[in-house]
Amino acid sequence: MIGTLVGAVVIVVLTAWFPQARAPFLVALALWAAACTLVATLLHNFASYAAALAGYTAVIIVADELGATGGPNADAAFLLAVTRASEICIGIVSAGVVLAGTDLGGAQ
């Protein structure tokens, strides 16, 4: 959940920093993805996955945010970020509830 929230916040901030400037926006996004990849290789287990998730959550939101031409759509950035983060968090909580309800503790 933390990686999703961090990625969503970062993409809203990047969109605010580079309104209607596609090239600098994409360079900043590439640097964010590279930083997340570096951190993911340095950390272990769930922390590593959270770092990777922060990177590709930002990219998934941008895929919906960018139009065919022009820069990022600042009007849609916040709503897309909130929607994506909400969907992922609901999925994680749902999976946890199902696992808690069906796991009897007999697995080795």
Side-chain angles (χ1 to χ4, degrees):
M1 282 188 182
I2 293 171
T4 298
L5 296 175
V6 169
V9 168
V10 166
I11 204 58
V12 170
V13 169
L14 286 179
T15 304
W17 282 350
F18 302 106
Q20 298 299 318
R22 189 175 193 139
F25 177 75
L26 292 176
V27 168
L29 180 64
L31 291 173
W32 171 252
C36 289
T37 304
L38 174 68
V39 171
T41 59
L42 297 176
L43 298 176
H44 300 287
N45 300 328
F46 295 115
S48 174
Y49 184 67
L53 189 63
Y56 72 76
T57 295
V59 173
I60 289 171
I61 294 171
V62 167
D64 290 336
E65 184 180 323
L66 288 177
T69 60
N73 184 359
D75 295 334
F78 181 74
L79 185 58
L80 287 169
V82 168
T83 303
R84 172 71 180 166
S86 299
E87 290 170 350
I88 295 300
C89 291
I90 289 170
I92 291 170
V93 170
S94 299
V97 167
V98 168
L99 181 64
T102 58
D103 185 17
L104 303 176
Q108 293 183 5

